[in-house]
Amino acid sequence: MPRKKVTDISGNGGVKKKRTSGKRKERDFSSDDEFDYEQENNKKPGKPAAKSGLQPVTVADDVKEKIKLDCPKVKGQLLIFGATNWDLIGRKEVPKQQAAFRNLGQNLWGPHRYGCLNDIQVSCVVSGPCAAHSLLLTTEGKLWSWGRNDKGQLGHGDTKRLEAPKLIEALADHVIVAAACGRNHTLALTEDGTAYSFGENKLGQLGQGNQTDAVLSPAPISYNGQPLVKVACGAEFSMVVDCKGNLYSFGCPEYGQLGHNSDGKFIARAQRIEFDCELIPRRVAIFIEKSKDGQVMPVPNVVVRDVACGGNHTLVLDSQKRVFSWGFGGYGRLGHTEQKDEMVPRLVKLFDFPGRGASQIYTGYQCSFAVSEMGGLFFWGVTNTSRESTMYPKSVQDLCGWKIRSLACGKSSIIIAADESTISWGPSPTFGELGYGDNKPKSSTTAQEVKTLDGIYIEQVVMGYCHSLVIARQETQQEQERLKKLPEYNPRTI
């Protein structure tokens, strides 16, 4: 039976807002200093989320599932390489208030061990393609953070930058199983499915029902529905998935990245464009596919299994191994052969065939990846904006036959753990995040094995804006000896 054509895809019967025309420039990473937030500051701090008439999602206790999420099974030692001058990453200069830190933190061109973590078993490491801060989970479910902290995104109750990982005391009584980093905000997920958020909240990206400059300590999001099982962060928005496979979003709706059929723009006084932000988690109500002749059809029975966010776009993997994408369409990062923004999740056609589904999804700042169920890696979007964009998912031929275990992409560099090797590549300029070592090439346009990690089995790879973090296995005496030969990084502090 053919799928029914849909004309209104607003998800809640809302009226579409008129879009302003004209070419939009993607916001630069340093723009948190330059972007004019005057309209947000004029709003009263802690303003309730009454504007949209939305109430926090609530489920009666007797209907609510009782779950206990497992901590990641991985365990090993954390290694770091790339830029560690946290306040300068992605900016032309260090902000005046952080001037004392201007020369603190160097570029590490090869893998280093953190001296303070020699006895810590790490089970998961977290950063993001537009993040200059990082998180790690220990095997006991404790969350540590370090890096840039202008907006309290480290969760320590202050805005003091941290050179090395430190336990988040406010969450020490909880078992944390997952976390996510946005540009200046952080989400953490406990074993019972509760999400905490902290950091910048000017655009409602913390989901706490208000808009404030910064929240310095972890607080629960405004949500009392089914337990959550996944969290993800874009630059200034967030996504959470519940145990039933429902997706919720909150934060800045620019480019349609929240999936609610609107970019949230409206013209305020003096022609100033403002955004109608979602301050509490709101369910993404509809998923669609588009035919070649432009017909829009709803896709039923979407049960979300995984979610990944780039700077301004999102990918979802569902229980039927289908991939959906939406948000900012520039450079082909959505994989729909056009550069149009998508306001609601749209099916990526390539993975909608029997035996051709996806098993893993990943996002970079302005690109997307999927590993097919046959093990092939597909890429779309762009890592180098001066080169041609890939407008739809294309197989990465260099990695044919490799079994990919973990993949991460920062602003423009890519790192992969596959089989017994670690592979990376990325265009210049780089800051050491490729890990090739001192006096070695600084960039590569083709996939290269990271020789500095030869003989070291990498369990997980993660990239921030221009730094890399990997978890190295240390189960045997031989593996421990190899790790001990790596240099130790003990950062200077003020």
Side-chain angles (χ1 to χ4, degrees):
M1 193 174 152
R3 288 177 180 158
K4 190 177 165 190
K5 185 180 173 186
V6 170
T7 50
D8 175 21
I9 51 172
S10 62
N12 64 347
V15 181
K16 282 190 181 181
K17 291 193 176 82
K18 192 172 180 183
R19 298 269 303 282
T20 49
S21 59
K23 184 77 176 161
R24 283 161 304 166
K25 186 176 183 297
E26 195 165 8
R27 201 180 295 169
D28 180 62
F29 183 68
S30 58
S31 63
D32 48 355
D33 306 318
E34 298 150 17
F35 186 67
D36 187 356
Y37 281 114
E38 185 190 325
Q39 74 271 25
E40 301 300 341
N41 295 335
N42 287 340
K43 294 177 181 176
K44 289 178 184 169
K47 180 182 167 190
K51 52 96 190 165
S52 60
L54 283 174
Q55 295 300 316
V57 177
T58 304
V59 171
D61 287 345
D62 56 341
V63 183
K64 204 180 283 190
E65 300 260 333
K66 294 283 187 289
I67 65 167
K68 186 177 179 185
L69 298 170
D70 293 329
C71 287
K73 294 288 187 283
V74 166
K75 62 179 178 181
Q77 182 154 17
L78 178 72
L79 305 177
I80 180 170
F81 38 103
T84 65
N85 188 342
W86 306 118
D87 291 312
L88 188 59
I89 287 171
R91 292 171 168 164
K92 297 176 187 71
E93 59 183 46
V94 172
K96 290 188 185 73
Q97 64 270 27
Q98 304 295 107
F101 297 99
R102 185 165 286 138
N103 299 314
L104 210 58
Q106 64 208 80
N107 289 347
L108 305 174
W109 296 101
H112 285 63
R113 294 172 291 128
Y114 263 116
C116 60
L117 294 176
N118 279 337
D119 302 321
I120 303 291
Q121 289 272 55
V122 178
S123 69
C124 179
V125 63
V126 181
S127 194
C130 46
H133 67 293
S134 308
L135 312 164
L136 69 83
L137 274 172
T138 67
T139 47
E140 293 88 36
K142 302 305 174 203
L143 188 65
W144 298 45
S145 64
W146 76 105
R148 186 183 294 173
N149 195 27
D150 314 24
K151 304 292 181 183
Q153 59 262 49
L154 300 186
H156 298 299
D158 57 32
T159 55
K160 188 182 172 192
R161 149 186 167 162
L162 278 179
E163 300 306 311
K166 178 185 169 186
L167 175 68
I168 300 178
E169 297 283 355
L171 293 172
D173 293 338
H174 299 279
V175 176
I176 306 297
V177 296
C181 295
R183 178 174 287 156
N184 289 311
H185 74 291
T186 305
L187 293 183
L189 182 66
T190 67
E191 65 178 351
D192 65 358
T194 304
Y196 288 81
S197 58
F198 42 100
E200 186 172 35
N201 194 33
K202 280 180 176 170
L203 298 167
Q205 59 263 54
L206 298 188
Q208 295 177 7
N210 53 34
Q211 285 170 271
T212 53
D213 182 54
V215 174
L216 306 183
S217 293
I221 65 173
S222 293
Y223 172 89
N224 192 28
Q226 293 288 1
L228 301 172
V229 295
K230 296 272 181 186
V231 292
C233 293
E236 280 118 7
F237 67 100
S238 307
M239 300 270 168
V240 294
V241 180
D242 73 13
C243 61
K244 302 288 189 185
N246 296 306
L247 179 70
Y248 300 84
S249 63
F250 44 99
C252 178
E254 192 177 8
Y255 311 116
Q257 60 205 15
L258 296 186
H260 301 311
N261 199 29
S262 167
D263 60 7
K265 280 185 179 177
F266 63 93
I267 297 181
R269 63 194 189 289
Q271 298 300 300
R272 183 194 297 279
I273 290 179
E274 296 185 11
F275 294 102
D276 192 14
C277 300
E278 293 293 345
L279 308 185
I280 57 175
R282 177 179 171 190
R283 190 166 78 87
V284 176
I286 193 161
F287 293 75
I288 64 160
E289 68 172 292
K290 287 186 184 174
S291 63
K292 285 181 180 173
D293 58 1
Q295 282 196 330
V296 176
M297 295 162 287
V299 178
N301 307 321
V302 176
V303 178
V304 175
R305 288 285 178 257
D306 201 7
V307 58
C309 297
N312 298 103
H313 75 292
T314 303
L315 291 189
V316 146
L317 178 66
D318 83 345
S319 58
Q320 298 178 48
K321 301 178 181 175
R322 298 177 294 196
V323 177
F324 296 82
S325 66
W326 68 100
F328 187 47
Y331 300 113
R333 74 197 72 185
L334 301 184
H336 303 306
T337 70
E338 55 187 355
Q339 301 207 49
K340 198 170 135 291
D341 296 352
E342 296 290 340
M343 302 286 149
V344 292
R346 177 180 170 187
L347 184 70
V348 180
K349 289 279 179 41
L350 185 85
F351 303 103
D352 190 31
F353 294 95
R356 290 256 302 271
S359 61
Q360 302 168 50
I361 52 169
Y362 302 96
T363 45
Y365 190 71
Q366 45 201 3
C367 60
S368 307
F369 302 84
V371 178
S372 73
E373 55 187 311
M374 305 298 288
L377 177 65
F378 288 81
F379 166 85
W380 58 105
V382 71
T383 54
N384 184 351
T385 53
S386 62
R387 302 186 71 175
E388 203 171 312
S389 306
T390 303
M391 300 299 294
Y392 58 90
K394 282 186 183 173
S395 176
V396 180
Q397 296 299 328
D398 287 357
L399 288 161
C400 275
W402 290 84
K403 190 170 189 295
I404 292 169
R405 183 166 55 256
S406 181
L407 180 151
C409 180
K411 176 67 170 73
S412 57
S413 299
I414 299 157
I415 188 165
I416 291 172
D419 296 327
E420 302 297 313
S421 299
T422 307
I423 299 156
S424 68
W425 70 98
S428 185
T430 60
F431 304 88
E433 69 267 30
L434 301 180
Y436 296 149
D438 292 319
N439 308 315
K440 293 286 191 296
K442 301 289 188 272
S443 61
S444 172
T445 53
T446 55
Q448 304 282 337
E449 284 193 65
V450 182
K451 297 295 185 188
T452 51
L453 289 170
D454 265 4
I456 297 174
Y457 185 91
I458 300 300
E459 299 271 15
Q460 187 203 354
V461 295
V462 153
M463 268 195 169
Y465 190 82
C466 46
H467 69 285
S468 297
L469 300 161
V470 303
I471 299 177
R473 191 173 68 187
Q474 51 178 2
E475 288 173 2
T476 65
Q477 189 68 36
Q478 193 180 18
E479 286 173 340
Q480 290 170 13
E481 292 300 323
R482 282 212 171 101
L483 286 172
K484 279 180 185 166
K485 289 178 183 171
L486 291 176
E488 198 172 88
Y489 177 50
N490 290 299
R492 290 184 301 122
T493 54
I494 288 182

